[in-house]
Amino acid sequence: MDKQVLVTGGSGYIAGFIIRQLAAEGWRINTTIRNLGREGEVRRWLGVPDAQLRFFAADLLKDDGWAEAAAGCAHVVHVASPLPTAGVRHEDDLIVPARDGALRALRAAKAAGATRVVMTSSVAAIAYGHGRKIGRYTEADWTDVNGPQVHAYAKSKTLAERAARDWIAAEGGAMEYVSVNPAAVLGPVLSADFSGSIEVVRRLIAGQLPGLPNFGFGVVDVRDVADLHVRALTASGVAGERFIACGPFMMMKDIAAVLRAELGGQARKVPTRGLPDFVLRAVALFDPAVRMVTGELGKVRETPADHARDRLGWVPRPARDSIVDTARSLIDLGIVKL
């Protein structure tokens, strides 16, 4: 096997851990970032030998650089996609780069002669728009982008994965495509450039929430998400598959309880009381990040990862470990001041 791979979005949270694992397993890695001026910074916190990792400038909205980044790569992991931590002015600000970037990565992969592309999608492309307060979803389900309370991020992930699959069917030829669909990704952070889902833990331990909202999400560790991508990159007979990456569904009160039990005095600012729905909606008037989750109040979306376990032997670590490691890394890096 030619162990040369392109991982897009190398400065991103998930991509960083994928690059680390691939490097540890002996791969040579090309990666893309928008600004090569950040190469030194990203190299420092990735900690991968320079000889194994090359950087290329490429943007989801531009053709430049993609052919050069994919050249010589028999495998591609497409991770790069916009993830908001604040409000979105227009849904196309997420949808267009997610969809068009996926197609650019696929075209570059095919031109380079790649045999398989693994794309990072999301459970947001599976479990939304169905109008149910409590639901259980599998890889066979798709988000209804025209359904109730489907936010821009869910639309972007759904439309990007749909577009990628349509392109593969029409133009992919023998090239294989697999998607990995993670839930909310937690775990240790390598730098201040981390996933938006980390914001939940950061706000809790920083004391920035007046109470615990009545919503939750599936939890998965970034290291396990990276491992599932690598498994999907090399497993035989998985062309066209989707693999959910998710552990338990946890309400905010459950996450807060883990932090208080494991961090002691470092969790002194974590709230203990529930936050009435009307209060959260009032806060959302002034906080775009909070506004994105008001539609989730009281909802439970179970997205079990049975398929990844059964087909790829994937076993995620306990959610408690992921939550604690998230908090401790935020504290250790000085991102949260206690």
Side-chain angles (χ1 to χ4, degrees), residues 5 7 57 128 131 174 233:
V5 58
V7 179
Y128 289 75
L233 196 66

Side-chain angles (χ1 to χ4, degrees), residues 4-7 28-32 53-54 56 68-69 71 73:
Q4 183 163 338
V5 58
L6 167 62
V7 179
R28 301 186 310 280
I29 304 144
N30 291 358
T31 193
T32 63
L53 179 61
R54 295 193 301 165
F56 297 82
E68 293 80 2
C73 294

Side-chain angles (χ1 to χ4, degrees), residues 64-98:
D64 299 345
W66 285 97
E68 293 80 2
C73 294
H75 298 74
V76 172
V77 185
H78 178 55
V79 192
S81 188
L83 178 62
T85 56
V88 179
R89 288 179 298 175
H90 191 281
E91 62 183 21
D92 281 349
D93 292 343
L94 296 183
I95 292 170
V96 173

Side-chain angles (χ1 to χ4, degrees), residues 1 5 61 63 118 129 132 145 162 184 186 189 194 196-197 244 272 282 296 317:
M1 181 178 65
V5 58
L61 292 171
D63 291 334
V118 176
R132 298 194 292 272
V145 295
R162 288 281 199 189
L186 301 180
V189 302
F194 49 75
S197 51
I244 288 173
T272 58
E296 296 303 295
R317 70 201 67 209

Side-chain angles (χ1 to χ4, degrees), residues 13 17 20 45 187-194 198 205 266 325-337:
Y13 185 47
F17 280 89
R20 280 184 155 198
W45 52 258
V189 302
L190 302 176
S191 73
D193 192 352
F194 49 75
I198 299 292
I205 58 177
Q266 291 181 318
D325 288 351
T326 304
R328 286 183 173 150
S329 66
L330 290 170
I331 295 167
D332 291 345
L333 288 175
I335 295 169
V336 173
K337 311 290 186 184

